[in-house]
Amino acid sequence: MPPEAVSIAVLYPELLGTYGDGGNAVVLAQRLRWRGIGAEVFEVGAGEAAPTSCDLYLMGGGEDGPQALAARELSESRVLHTAVDGGAVVFGVCAGIQVLGHEFANSDGSPHPGLGLLDCRTVRGSGRRAVGELLVEPALDGLPVLTGYENHGAVTHLGPAARPLGRVVAGVGNGTGDSTEGAVSGRILATYLHGPALARNPALADLLLSWVVGDLAPLDDAEVEDLRRERIGAVRRRRQRGRA
C-alpha cells in the first residue's frame, strides 16, 4: 500500500535554485496528488536543520560559492547520509550531481570535498561551457529519450560504483568524451538536465516516485508529450542542419 503522503525536501533553494529546478518538487507533488496520494513539500533554507526522515530529497543547480556552502552544510550535518541509509530517494541536478560526488571544482579550479554519496568526481572543463539543449538516450529500462537544457563548465568522471543515466544524443552531458550523462547509484539519481527536468520528462518523475511508493497508475500526459516531441524534433533538426 502506498503511504498516505510522500514527503519531499527541497534542499537550500536559495543556494541551489539558480535554474528553476525547484519546479521538480511541484511536478512530483502534483503527479502524486493526481493519483490520490498526498504530498508534503518542505523547503529547507541554508542554515536550517534539514529533516532526515523525508522520502525524497531534491538538489538543484547553483553557482560556485553557494554550491560550496551547500556542500559544507550537508557534509557537517550528514543529513543526506542518514536519509540515504534509511532508504530515501535523492535527485540531484547540475550542482547536485557535483555535490553528491567525492569532490568538485571551486571557482579557482581547486578541489572541494563533496558528500561521497555518488562515485564520481567533477573537475573544471578546459573547453567551451556546455550551454544548450541536451538529449539523452536513457540506460534505465522503461524511460523514453530525456530532454532538457544544460548550462555548466564542468567535467564529471564516474567511478565503478556509479552508472550513467544515459548516453548523450545531442549536447555535452558529463563532458568526458564518452557520451555519458548523469549518474545513478541505488536510489540516488543525478543529471545535468534542467528544464525543470521532471516537467520535461514525466516518466523520469514517475521512476523516482515508484522508488518510494511502488507501482503507479498511468496518467494522461498527452500535452506534455506534444511538448516533448516539439523539443526533441527541434534539436534533431538542428543537428541534421549542422551536418549538411
Side-chain angles (χ1 to χ4, degrees), residues 176-187:
T176 53
D178 59 0
S179 297
T180 58
E181 202 290 314
V184 182
S185 179
R187 292 189 171 198

Side-chain angles (χ1 to χ4, degrees), residues 8 15 22-23 34 47 52 54 58 65 70-71 75 78 103 109 112-114 119 131-132 139 165 196 208 220 223 242:
I8 302 167
L15 301 178
W34 280 335
T52 59
C54 288
L58 304 181
S75 179
R78 296 191 65 82
E103 63 183 31
H112 190 291
D119 187 14
V131 179
L165 172 60
L208 296 171
D220 181 2
E223 291 186 0

